[in-house]
Amino acid sequence: MTEFETVIGLEVHVELGTQTKIFCGCAVEFGAPPNTHVCPVCLGSPGALPVLNEEALKLAIRAALALNCTVRQESKFDRKNYFYPDSPKAYQISQYDEPVGEHGFIEITVQGEKKRIGITRVHLEEDAGKLTHSPYGDASLVDLNRVGIPLIEIVSEPDLRTAEEARLYLEELKSIMQYCAISECKMEEGSLRCDANISLREVGQRELGTKTEIKNMNSFRNVQRGLEYEEQRQKKMLLKNEKIVQQTMRFHEESGATVAMRSKEDAHDYRYFPEPDLPRISLSREYSEERRAEIPELPAERRQRFVEVYGLPLYDAEVLTVTKALADYFDGTASRVRDPKSASNWIMGDLLAHVKANGLEMEQVRVKPEQLAELIGVIEKGTISSKIAKNVLKEMLDSGKDAKVIIEEQGLIQISDEGQLREIALRIIATNKKSVEDFKAGKEKALGALVGQMMKETKGKANPQLVNQIMLALISD
Amino acid sequence: MDFYSGLRKLHQGLISREMTPADLVNFSLEQIKAVDMQVQAFVTVTEEQARVKAEQVRENGAEGILAGIPFALKDNMCTQGVETTCASRSLQGYKPPYSATVVERLERDHGILIGKLNMDEFAMGSSTENSSLCKTHNPWDFERVPGGSSGGPAAAVAAGMVPYALGSDTGGSIRQPAAFCGVVGLKPTYGLVSRYGLVAFASSLDQIGPITNSVEDAAIVLQSIAGPDRRDSTSVQRDVPNYIEGLTGDICGLKIGVAMEYFSPSIDQKVRAAVDSAILQLERLGAEMIKVSLPHTSYALSAYYLLAPAEASSNLARYDGVRYGYRAQDAENLLDMYRQTRSEGFGAEVKRRILIGTYALSSGYYDAYYKRAQQVRTLIAKDFDEAFAKVDVLLSPTTPTTAFRFGEKTEDPLMMYMNDICTIPVNLAGLPAISVPCGLADGLPVGLQLIGRMFDETTLLRTAHAYEQAAGFAPMRPALGVHA
């Protein structure tokens, strides 16, 4: 039977996190009442002219550099002409043949193997408005708040081979954008949007098969679902010797299917031409280098450092570097404790559980890294047990108080005084003759019961290792 | 009182309290009432607003040279709350939410807006016959066109209804009507005057400039409106020189280039004779005439009629009936609404240019048309660069003929386009140029075009001023429509 290879390329739109729009002074705000962040420029009023927001250009250059692109010293804007009510000028200011950045790549790890995915180009453009259908009748409602929000479009090479690779690529891309403070990349708010091109070809064949484009996939999971569905659909057709039609498909979330939207014959002729209202962009080397200096340590480097410097397992390093805030948190904690792995355990365990349960951002966590490090230090010194520490951390997360304050207030200091512990142990042995006899008769479990009694007696404050040693010594005689 | 004697004189009258801003506003309104029934230059008169403003200016005692003096605007410059139609059905009733930078600047200098002026629809045309609003008549002969597309501004100034007006020039739209109406029309260097609030026709060519009775008045108005504007990225960051001080009257030793390509047989003999005598006049003033060549001139018209429509097809795409202006009723769906709105909203010439422009930008044709035209544009600019290595100013007729009759050229668009043959190359190169009256031919005004170096309005205005003073034609007063 014929074996097929899947070829996928992604087009990702990322909203840049600027305060104001790309060509006017209107504020960028998600969820504002319709048509409240608009002005003559973004409304396309006759006579109004665009003025480039330099912040958007800076973020686009930073993004291009973070994606290993070459930043063009000369670039320009072009007009992409089309009629639709979401576009008040009836053209979108975009970049056609001279994008800000080109020839970059992202590295992903597929089943332990590193794979480089090429980035064809990164270009700057303005967002369009939003159309909703009126609940009151056969009208469309137009909200132009989104018009003019700066976007970058990131186009990948057709280097992806599976739907899973596509998801991994998106995850890495999102991480990089977030690390560089380019965008929040919230797919549910539309600040990251993804269209996919997919085609199949016989294994060994060089030329690409006929592709389809999938739109409307609103989560990473749906990107993977949509691609997997389309992959199977195309495969079935090819096996039946049917021709793939080059067309745009819409992903249908409920059914998980892809549905044909429009064919190539309906494709627009956008009649691109250079935007005469904006001068060409000429960048000095220094200007680009300043943007490069704004790029922090990226997730890939950071993962590697966490493994090499802190000795973390790769899995821990991957989890802890998903967002910059989390990685910063770990760095802040691990650098203050003897054993970084214990920091990793506390963060990946209790702390992330708390964050998830309360729907928090890392920045909202009341316990700062130095406070968590202090708690871990107290455990390392044996002042409190790990078990008690769990409760202390819970209290810390709720109140924001320091560990030492809570330990002090609640008298939680571990009892490690051997004399004191021996005294208690003898008392317990005296009142639990049965358990002692059981132990001597070979029932090892009985030791646990005695130790448990002891912990109960000390309200959990007894040093568990010492309790074990002392009890064992006493009943073994 | 009259408006022909110049802004300086009106200013002196105000300063010396011989007259008040209200007197000037009244006079302007009276002139409009008296002659605009026939001339039909105005499409909107802001009478009430002007009277209020006149009172304000008197009260705050502003003393700038434009303070208290009325002016009017071509109807493609946005005026907040005042209808701005571009003489198009598609913008009927449209009141902009903001004012153009040039309007703000004239108002900053306490000028008083008296009204808006007729034009060819969206500034596309050379006779103002393409207006959807009214037919503007040449004050020298009511049977003839005032030129275009700034026909309203040229006619209003020539008929003495306002002392000055602003027009816009994309391929000659200030200079050609100025020549036809016997007034001064200045197209500044591209980027000197902000286009913010000028309803775009062809963005890389459009430029706002004054239409006045004298070169000095043009310098005075330019002084007010020129200079960088952060809202227009194509406005150039550079200091504005003092144009008025530059009018020394001395052009001795100045090198003036006469390009043979601008004296083709298509130039009317009488127009040519008037320009020839202007050349003699300039020589008497001590200027040196030098023959130069601008070899790519003959390609300018073709390049222009690809580039300007290409930009226009995109600039005018927004008039879709969705947000403002005219919207066709009873459309069945979105596409239908677009089609009907635009079919009914635009006139024939505008549609013609949108079609040409759309075609030129279409995939598969872009390289052959738009791109090629851009290359021609570069060559034309190079021609001028080379000429300006040898001379300070270039000279030509402004138009091949004097004002023509209504309907004379409407049947043949190409004949209409030929009118701009001397003015179009200047826009393609972005240079400053001025049309000054240089006499009459058969009782109709003839315009002399002078072209300057990039941003060298100072030399350009000095030359035009020196000529004007020596020639003694300006100001030219038409006997209002009674053509000998």
Side-chain angles (χ1 to χ4, degrees), chain A residues 44-48 50-51 79 81 83 85 88 91 269 277, chain B residues 94 98 195 197-198 203 230 233 314-315 317-318 323-324 338 363:
Chain A
S45 294
V51 175
R79 288 189 187 175
N81 295 285
F83 286 98
Y91 57 82
D269 178 356
D277 288 330
Chain B
Y94 176 68
Y98 72 101
R195 292 185 295 115
L198 170 69
S203 314
R230 57 179 181 75
S233 311
S314 174
N315 283 330
R318 68 187 64 186
R323 293 161 308 279
Y324 46 73
Y338 284 158
S363 122

PDB file of all heavy atoms in Angstrom, chain A residues 44-48 50-51 79 81 83 85 88 91 269 277, chain B residues 94 98 195 197-198 203 230 233 314-315 317-318 323-324 338 363:
ATOM      1  N   GLY A  44     -10.803  54.976   9.084  1.00  0.00           N
ATOM      2  CA  GLY A  44     -10.656  55.214   7.650  1.00  0.00           C
ATOM      3  C   GLY A  44     -11.441  56.430   7.197  1.00  0.00           C
ATOM      4  O   GLY A  44     -11.930  56.468   6.066  1.00  0.00           O
ATOM      5  N   SER A  45     -11.555  57.447   8.048  1.00  0.00           N
ATOM      6  CA  SER A  45     -12.241  58.675   7.628  1.00  0.00           C
ATOM      7  C   SER A  45     -11.490  59.276   6.446  1.00  0.00           C
ATOM      8  O   SER A  45     -10.267  59.233   6.406  1.00  0.00           O
ATOM      9  CB  SER A  45     -12.257  59.698   8.763  1.00  0.00           C
ATOM     10  OG  SER A  45     -13.036  59.233   9.822  1.00  0.00           O
ATOM     11  N   PRO A  46     -12.236  59.878   5.497  1.00  0.00           N
ATOM     12  CA  PRO A  46     -11.557  60.504   4.372  1.00  0.00           C
ATOM     13  C   PRO A  46     -10.501  61.496   4.861  1.00  0.00           C
ATOM     14  O   PRO A  46     -10.763  62.268   5.782  1.00  0.00           O
ATOM     15  CB  PRO A  46     -12.694  61.233   3.651  1.00  0.00           C
ATOM     16  CG  PRO A  46     -13.931  60.484   4.028  1.00  0.00           C
ATOM     17  CD  PRO A  46     -13.698  59.993   5.427  1.00  0.00           C
ATOM     18  N   GLY A  47      -9.318  61.444   4.253  1.00  0.00           N
ATOM     19  CA  GLY A  47      -8.269  62.410   4.570  1.00  0.00           C
ATOM     20  C   GLY A  47      -7.361  62.037   5.718  1.00  0.00           C
ATOM     21  O   GLY A  47      -6.302  62.643   5.889  1.00  0.00           O
ATOM     22  N   ALA A  48      -7.736  61.047   6.523  1.00  0.00           N
ATOM     23  CA  ALA A  48      -6.881  60.668   7.656  1.00  0.00           C
ATOM     24  C   ALA A  48      -5.693  59.853   7.154  1.00  0.00           C
ATOM     25  O   ALA A  48      -5.794  59.168   6.139  1.00  0.00           O
ATOM     26  CB  ALA A  48      -7.684  59.879   8.676  1.00  0.00           C
ATOM     27  N   PRO A  50      -2.075  57.348   8.184  1.00  0.00           N
ATOM     28  CA  PRO A  50      -1.445  56.508   9.197  1.00  0.00           C
ATOM     29  C   PRO A  50      -0.079  57.063   9.619  1.00  0.00           C
ATOM     30  O   PRO A  50       0.632  57.650   8.806  1.00  0.00           O
ATOM     31  CB  PRO A  50      -1.251  55.180   8.451  1.00  0.00           C
ATOM     32  CG  PRO A  50      -1.049  55.589   7.025  1.00  0.00           C
ATOM     33  CD  PRO A  50      -1.885  56.824   6.815  1.00  0.00           C
ATOM     34  N   VAL A  51       0.253  56.880  10.893  1.00  0.00           N
ATOM     35  CA  VAL A  51       1.599  57.201  11.372  1.00  0.00           C
ATOM     36  C   VAL A  51       2.071  55.981  12.158  1.00  0.00           C
ATOM     37  O   VAL A  51       1.387  55.520  13.070  1.00  0.00           O
ATOM     38  CB  VAL A  51       1.591  58.451  12.285  1.00  0.00           C
ATOM     39  CG1 VAL A  51       2.980  58.702  12.861  1.00  0.00           C
ATOM     40  CG2 VAL A  51       1.103  59.672  11.518  1.00  0.00           C
ATOM     41  N   ARG A  79      -0.158  48.006   0.569  1.00  0.00           N
ATOM     42  CA  ARG A  79      -1.599  47.912   0.781  1.00  0.00           C
ATOM     43  C   ARG A  79      -2.121  46.607   0.200  1.00  0.00           C
ATOM     44  O   ARG A  79      -1.796  46.249  -0.926  1.00  0.00           O
ATOM     45  CB  ARG A  79      -2.312  49.069   0.071  1.00  0.00           C
ATOM     46  CG  ARG A  79      -2.094  50.400   0.740  1.00  0.00           C
ATOM     47  CD  ARG A  79      -3.001  51.428   0.112  1.00  0.00           C
ATOM     48  NE  ARG A  79      -2.723  52.761   0.613  1.00  0.00           N
ATOM     49  CZ  ARG A  79      -3.321  53.856   0.134  1.00  0.00           C
ATOM     50  NH1 ARG A  79      -4.207  53.743  -0.854  1.00  0.00           N
ATOM     51  NH2 ARG A  79      -3.030  55.029   0.638  1.00  0.00           N
ATOM     52  N   ASN A  81      -5.528  45.141  -0.836  1.00  0.00           N
ATOM     53  CA  ASN A  81      -6.865  45.676  -1.108  1.00  0.00           C
ATOM     54  C   ASN A  81      -7.935  44.599  -1.104  1.00  0.00           C
ATOM     55  O   ASN A  81      -7.792  43.571  -1.770  1.00  0.00           O
ATOM     56  CB  ASN A  81      -6.859  46.352  -2.486  1.00  0.00           C
ATOM     57  CG  ASN A  81      -5.948  47.558  -2.529  1.00  0.00           C
ATOM     58  OD1 ASN A  81      -6.267  48.619  -1.993  1.00  0.00           O
ATOM     59  ND2 ASN A  81      -4.780  47.406  -3.149  1.00  0.00           N
ATOM     60  N   PHE A  83     -12.520  44.285  -0.292  1.00  0.00           N
ATOM     61  CA  PHE A  83     -13.755  44.875   0.236  1.00  0.00           C
ATOM     62  C   PHE A  83     -14.366  43.965   1.281  1.00  0.00           C
ATOM     63  O   PHE A  83     -14.684  42.812   0.999  1.00  0.00           O
ATOM     64  CB  PHE A  83     -14.785  45.058  -0.895  1.00  0.00           C
ATOM     65  CG  PHE A  83     -14.464  46.202  -1.811  1.00  0.00           C
ATOM     66  CD1 PHE A  83     -13.827  45.992  -3.028  1.00  0.00           C
ATOM     67  CD2 PHE A  83     -14.811  47.502  -1.460  1.00  0.00           C
ATOM     68  CE1 PHE A  83     -13.540  47.050  -3.873  1.00  0.00           C
ATOM     69  CE2 PHE A  83     -14.532  48.562  -2.301  1.00  0.00           C
ATOM     70  CZ  PHE A  83     -13.893  48.336  -3.512  1.00  0.00           C
ATOM     71  N   PRO A  85     -16.655  44.646   5.303  1.00  0.00           N
ATOM     72  CA  PRO A  85     -16.950  45.672   6.320  1.00  0.00           C
ATOM     73  C   PRO A  85     -16.006  45.667   7.520  1.00  0.00           C
ATOM     74  O   PRO A  85     -16.019  46.607   8.301  1.00  0.00           O
ATOM     75  CB  PRO A  85     -18.386  45.331   6.760  1.00  0.00           C
ATOM     76  CG  PRO A  85     -18.960  44.549   5.629  1.00  0.00           C
ATOM     77  CD  PRO A  85     -17.809  43.777   5.054  1.00  0.00           C
ATOM     78  N   PRO A  88     -12.229  49.201   7.280  1.00  0.00           N
ATOM     79  CA  PRO A  88     -12.847  50.490   6.953  1.00  0.00           C
ATOM     80  C   PRO A  88     -12.158  51.251   5.815  1.00  0.00           C
ATOM     81  O   PRO A  88     -12.789  52.096   5.191  1.00  0.00           O
ATOM     82  CB  PRO A  88     -12.791  51.280   8.257  1.00  0.00           C
ATOM     83  CG  PRO A  88     -11.934  50.520   9.183  1.00  0.00           C
ATOM     84  CD  PRO A  88     -11.740  49.140   8.661  1.00  0.00           C
ATOM     85  N   TYR A  91      -8.644  48.473   2.562  1.00  0.00           N
ATOM     86  CA  TYR A  91      -7.332  47.838   2.367  1.00  0.00           C
ATOM     87  C   TYR A  91      -6.695  47.691   3.740  1.00  0.00           C
ATOM     88  O   TYR A  91      -7.010  48.438   4.671  1.00  0.00           O
ATOM     89  CB  TYR A  91      -6.420  48.624   1.416  1.00  0.00           C
ATOM     90  CG  TYR A  91      -6.133  50.060   1.791  1.00  0.00           C
ATOM     91  CD1 TYR A  91      -5.149  50.374   2.724  1.00  0.00           C
ATOM     92  CD2 TYR A  91      -6.826  51.101   1.195  1.00  0.00           C
ATOM     93  CE1 TYR A  91      -4.878  51.689   3.058  1.00  0.00           C
ATOM     94  CE2 TYR A  91      -6.562  52.423   1.524  1.00  0.00           C
ATOM     95  CZ  TYR A  91      -5.585  52.708   2.461  1.00  0.00           C
ATOM     96  OH  TYR A  91      -5.330  54.010   2.793  1.00  0.00           O
ATOM     97  N   ASP A 269      -7.755  38.741  -5.526  1.00  0.00           N
ATOM     98  CA  ASP A 269      -6.548  39.367  -6.053  1.00  0.00           C
ATOM     99  C   ASP A 269      -6.382  40.623  -5.211  1.00  0.00           C
ATOM    100  O   ASP A 269      -7.143  41.574  -5.330  1.00  0.00           O
ATOM    101  CB  ASP A 269      -6.745  39.720  -7.533  1.00  0.00           C
ATOM    102  CG  ASP A 269      -5.522  40.417  -8.109  1.00  0.00           C
ATOM    103  OD1 ASP A 269      -4.571  40.697  -7.348  1.00  0.00           O
ATOM    104  OD2 ASP A 269      -5.519  40.694  -9.324  1.00  0.00           O
ATOM    105  N   ASP A 277       1.408  56.364   1.798  1.00  0.00           N
ATOM    106  CA  ASP A 277       1.273  57.255   2.951  1.00  0.00           C
ATOM    107  C   ASP A 277       2.346  57.036   4.019  1.00  0.00           C
ATOM    108  O   ASP A 277       2.403  57.780   4.987  1.00  0.00           O
ATOM    109  CB  ASP A 277      -0.110  57.086   3.600  1.00  0.00           C
ATOM    110  CG  ASP A 277      -1.219  57.681   2.732  1.00  0.00           C
ATOM    111  OD1 ASP A 277      -0.934  58.658   2.012  1.00  0.00           O
ATOM    112  OD2 ASP A 277      -2.352  57.174   2.774  1.00  0.00           O
TER     113      ASP A 277
ATOM    114  N   TYR B  94     -21.722  64.497   3.974  1.00  0.00           N
ATOM    115  CA  TYR B  94     -20.664  64.059   4.888  1.00  0.00           C
ATOM    116  C   TYR B  94     -20.043  65.245   5.637  1.00  0.00           C
ATOM    117  O   TYR B  94     -19.520  66.176   5.027  1.00  0.00           O
ATOM    118  CB  TYR B  94     -19.580  63.290   4.138  1.00  0.00           C
ATOM    119  CG  TYR B  94     -18.426  62.911   5.026  1.00  0.00           C
ATOM    120  CD1 TYR B  94     -18.594  61.979   6.051  1.00  0.00           C
ATOM    121  CD2 TYR B  94     -17.182  63.498   4.872  1.00  0.00           C
ATOM    122  CE1 TYR B  94     -17.551  61.644   6.885  1.00  0.00           C
ATOM    123  CE2 TYR B  94     -16.116  63.169   5.709  1.00  0.00           C
ATOM    124  CZ  TYR B  94     -16.313  62.244   6.712  1.00  0.00           C
ATOM    125  OH  TYR B  94     -15.274  61.920   7.545  1.00  0.00           O
ATOM    126  N   TYR B  98     -13.203  65.965  11.974  1.00  0.00           N
ATOM    127  CA  TYR B  98     -11.980  66.711  12.306  1.00  0.00           C
ATOM    128  C   TYR B  98     -11.641  67.646  11.150  1.00  0.00           C
ATOM    129  O   TYR B  98     -12.183  67.510  10.058  1.00  0.00           O
ATOM    130  CB  TYR B  98     -10.816  65.736  12.546  1.00  0.00           C
ATOM    131  CG  TYR B  98     -10.326  65.086  11.273  1.00  0.00           C
ATOM    132  CD1 TYR B  98      -9.179  65.524  10.626  1.00  0.00           C
ATOM    133  CD2 TYR B  98     -11.050  64.049  10.684  1.00  0.00           C
ATOM    134  CE1 TYR B  98      -8.752  64.958   9.433  1.00  0.00           C
ATOM    135  CE2 TYR B  98     -10.636  63.476   9.494  1.00  0.00           C
ATOM    136  CZ  TYR B  98      -9.483  63.939   8.878  1.00  0.00           C
ATOM    137  OH  TYR B  98      -9.070  63.377   7.703  1.00  0.00           O
ATOM    138  N   ARG B 195      -0.705  66.762   4.229  1.00  0.00           N
ATOM    139  CA  ARG B 195      -1.899  66.270   3.531  1.00  0.00           C
ATOM    140  C   ARG B 195      -2.948  65.748   4.510  1.00  0.00           C
ATOM    141  O   ARG B 195      -3.998  65.256   4.092  1.00  0.00           O
ATOM    142  CB  ARG B 195      -1.506  65.119   2.584  1.00  0.00           C
ATOM    143  CG  ARG B 195      -0.651  65.540   1.411  1.00  0.00           C
ATOM    144  CD  ARG B 195      -0.417  64.367   0.461  1.00  0.00           C
ATOM    145  NE  ARG B 195       0.359  63.310   1.079  1.00  0.00           N
ATOM    146  CZ  ARG B 195      -0.091  62.078   1.328  1.00  0.00           C
ATOM    147  NH1 ARG B 195      -1.319  61.740   1.008  1.00  0.00           N
ATOM    148  NH2 ARG B 195       0.682  61.182   1.898  1.00  0.00           N
ATOM    149  N   GLY B 197      -5.989  65.340   6.317  1.00  0.00           N
ATOM    150  CA  GLY B 197      -7.297  65.966   6.144  1.00  0.00           C
ATOM    151  C   GLY B 197      -7.612  66.353   4.712  1.00  0.00           C
ATOM    152  O   GLY B 197      -8.700  66.841   4.431  1.00  0.00           O
ATOM    153  N   LEU B 198      -6.670  66.136   3.808  1.00  0.00           N
ATOM    154  CA  LEU B 198      -6.970  66.296   2.379  1.00  0.00           C
ATOM    155  C   LEU B 198      -7.491  64.942   1.905  1.00  0.00           C
ATOM    156  O   LEU B 198      -6.785  63.935   2.016  1.00  0.00           O
ATOM    157  CB  LEU B 198      -5.698  66.653   1.597  1.00  0.00           C
ATOM    158  CG  LEU B 198      -5.826  66.602   0.069  1.00  0.00           C
ATOM    159  CD1 LEU B 198      -6.733  67.722  -0.440  1.00  0.00           C
ATOM    160  CD2 LEU B 198      -4.452  66.677  -0.599  1.00  0.00           C
ATOM    161  N   SER B 203      -2.138  59.587  -3.384  1.00  0.00           N
ATOM    162  CA  SER B 203      -1.383  60.012  -2.201  1.00  0.00           C
ATOM    163  C   SER B 203       0.055  60.433  -2.474  1.00  0.00           C
ATOM    164  O   SER B 203       0.574  61.310  -1.794  1.00  0.00           O
ATOM    165  CB  SER B 203      -1.373  58.881  -1.177  1.00  0.00           C
ATOM    166  OG  SER B 203      -2.672  58.343  -1.047  1.00  0.00           O
ATOM    167  N   ARG B 230       3.198  65.970  12.422  1.00  0.00           N
ATOM    168  CA  ARG B 230       3.424  64.586  12.875  1.00  0.00           C
ATOM    169  C   ARG B 230       2.285  63.659  12.460  1.00  0.00           C
ATOM    170  O   ARG B 230       2.415  62.445  12.539  1.00  0.00           O
ATOM    171  CB  ARG B 230       3.669  64.527  14.381  1.00  0.00           C
ATOM    172  CG  ARG B 230       2.566  65.123  15.185  1.00  0.00           C
ATOM    173  CD  ARG B 230       2.742  65.078  16.683  1.00  0.00           C
ATOM    174  NE  ARG B 230       1.579  65.664  17.317  1.00  0.00           N
ATOM    175  CZ  ARG B 230       0.413  65.061  17.419  1.00  0.00           C
ATOM    176  NH1 ARG B 230       0.259  63.837  16.954  1.00  0.00           N
ATOM    177  NH2 ARG B 230      -0.612  65.668  17.967  1.00  0.00           N
ATOM    178  N   SER B 233       3.040  61.309   7.763  1.00  0.00           N
ATOM    179  CA  SER B 233       4.395  60.752   7.733  1.00  0.00           C
ATOM    180  C   SER B 233       5.166  61.152   6.485  1.00  0.00           C
ATOM    181  O   SER B 233       6.376  60.962   6.426  1.00  0.00           O
ATOM    182  CB  SER B 233       4.328  59.223   7.777  1.00  0.00           C
ATOM    183  OG  SER B 233       3.488  58.790   8.800  1.00  0.00           O
ATOM    184  N   SER B 314      -7.400  52.417  -4.859  1.00  0.00           N
ATOM    185  CA  SER B 314      -7.299  51.984  -3.469  1.00  0.00           C
ATOM    186  C   SER B 314      -7.856  53.049  -2.512  1.00  0.00           C
ATOM    187  O   SER B 314      -8.612  52.742  -1.585  1.00  0.00           O
ATOM    188  CB  SER B 314      -5.824  51.692  -3.169  1.00  0.00           C
ATOM    189  OG  SER B 314      -5.619  51.401  -1.822  1.00  0.00           O
ATOM    190  N   ASN B 315      -7.498  54.312  -2.764  1.00  0.00           N
ATOM    191  CA  ASN B 315      -7.966  55.395  -1.883  1.00  0.00           C
ATOM    192  C   ASN B 315      -9.488  55.541  -1.880  1.00  0.00           C
ATOM    193  O   ASN B 315     -10.075  55.939  -0.882  1.00  0.00           O
ATOM    194  CB  ASN B 315      -7.352  56.728  -2.307  1.00  0.00           C
ATOM    195  CG  ASN B 315      -5.898  56.860  -1.868  1.00  0.00           C
ATOM    196  OD1 ASN B 315      -5.497  56.299  -0.853  1.00  0.00           O
ATOM    197  ND2 ASN B 315      -5.111  57.588  -2.641  1.00  0.00           N
ATOM    198  N   ALA B 317     -11.629  53.147  -2.406  1.00  0.00           N
ATOM    199  CA  ALA B 317     -12.330  51.896  -2.102  1.00  0.00           C
ATOM    200  C   ALA B 317     -13.184  52.019  -0.838  1.00  0.00           C
ATOM    201  O   ALA B 317     -14.146  51.296  -0.655  1.00  0.00           O
ATOM    202  CB  ALA B 317     -11.314  50.759  -1.951  1.00  0.00           C
ATOM    203  N   ARG B 318     -12.820  52.979   0.022  1.00  0.00           N
ATOM    204  CA  ARG B 318     -13.534  53.101   1.306  1.00  0.00           C
ATOM    205  C   ARG B 318     -14.947  53.663   1.157  1.00  0.00           C
ATOM    206  O   ARG B 318     -15.740  53.597   2.094  1.00  0.00           O
ATOM    207  CB  ARG B 318     -12.718  53.964   2.275  1.00  0.00           C
ATOM    208  CG  ARG B 318     -12.624  55.419   1.873  1.00  0.00           C
ATOM    209  CD  ARG B 318     -11.670  56.185   2.769  1.00  0.00           C
ATOM    210  NE  ARG B 318     -10.293  55.675   2.622  1.00  0.00           N
ATOM    211  CZ  ARG B 318      -9.269  56.072   3.372  1.00  0.00           C
ATOM    212  NH1 ARG B 318      -9.466  56.930   4.345  1.00  0.00           N
ATOM    213  NH2 ARG B 318      -8.063  55.597   3.163  1.00  0.00           N
ATOM    214  N   ARG B 323     -20.089  53.079   6.292  1.00  0.00           N
ATOM    215  CA  ARG B 323     -19.932  53.931   7.469  1.00  0.00           C
ATOM    216  C   ARG B 323     -20.421  55.368   7.298  1.00  0.00           C
ATOM    217  O   ARG B 323     -20.871  55.992   8.245  1.00  0.00           O
ATOM    218  CB  ARG B 323     -18.465  53.961   7.918  1.00  0.00           C
ATOM    219  CG  ARG B 323     -17.943  52.647   8.439  1.00  0.00           C
ATOM    220  CD  ARG B 323     -16.427  52.611   8.424  1.00  0.00           C
ATOM    221  NE  ARG B 323     -15.918  52.982   7.102  1.00  0.00           N
ATOM    222  CZ  ARG B 323     -15.855  52.158   6.075  1.00  0.00           C
ATOM    223  NH1 ARG B 323     -16.225  50.915   6.215  1.00  0.00           N
ATOM    224  NH2 ARG B 323     -15.426  52.571   4.891  1.00  0.00           N
ATOM    225  N   TYR B 324     -20.253  55.936   6.106  1.00  0.00           N
ATOM    226  CA  TYR B 324     -20.640  57.334   5.910  1.00  0.00           C
ATOM    227  C   TYR B 324     -20.939  57.552   4.436  1.00  0.00           C
ATOM    228  O   TYR B 324     -20.684  56.684   3.595  1.00  0.00           O
ATOM    229  CB  TYR B 324     -19.517  58.288   6.364  1.00  0.00           C
ATOM    230  CG  TYR B 324     -18.150  57.882   5.881  1.00  0.00           C
ATOM    231  CD1 TYR B 324     -17.787  58.035   4.555  1.00  0.00           C
ATOM    232  CD2 TYR B 324     -17.233  57.289   6.749  1.00  0.00           C
ATOM    233  CE1 TYR B 324     -16.547  57.633   4.096  1.00  0.00           C
ATOM    234  CE2 TYR B 324     -15.981  56.880   6.297  1.00  0.00           C
ATOM    235  CZ  TYR B 324     -15.653  57.062   4.978  1.00  0.00           C
ATOM    236  OH  TYR B 324     -14.431  56.645   4.522  1.00  0.00           O
ATOM    237  N   TYR B 338     -22.479  47.089  -2.131  1.00  0.00           N
ATOM    238  CA  TYR B 338     -21.238  47.680  -2.631  1.00  0.00           C
ATOM    239  C   TYR B 338     -21.420  48.118  -4.087  1.00  0.00           C
ATOM    240  O   TYR B 338     -21.078  49.227  -4.469  1.00  0.00           O
ATOM    241  CB  TYR B 338     -20.099  46.657  -2.592  1.00  0.00           C
ATOM    242  CG  TYR B 338     -19.498  46.387  -1.220  1.00  0.00           C
ATOM    243  CD1 TYR B 338     -18.813  45.210  -0.976  1.00  0.00           C
ATOM    244  CD2 TYR B 338     -19.585  47.319  -0.189  1.00  0.00           C
ATOM    245  CE1 TYR B 338     -18.230  44.946   0.257  1.00  0.00           C
ATOM    246  CE2 TYR B 338     -19.008  47.063   1.052  1.00  0.00           C
ATOM    247  CZ  TYR B 338     -18.336  45.869   1.262  1.00  0.00           C
ATOM    248  OH  TYR B 338     -17.762  45.614   2.470  1.00  0.00           O
ATOM    249  N   SER B 363      -3.044  41.246 -10.515  1.00  0.00           N
ATOM    250  CA  SER B 363      -1.993  40.245 -10.587  1.00  0.00           C
ATOM    251  C   SER B 363      -1.801  39.833 -12.044  1.00  0.00           C
ATOM    252  O   SER B 363      -2.760  39.617 -12.775  1.00  0.00           O
ATOM    253  CB  SER B 363      -2.365  39.074  -9.671  1.00  0.00           C
ATOM    254  OG  SER B 363      -2.435  37.890 -10.384  1.00  0.00           O
TER     255      SER B 363
END
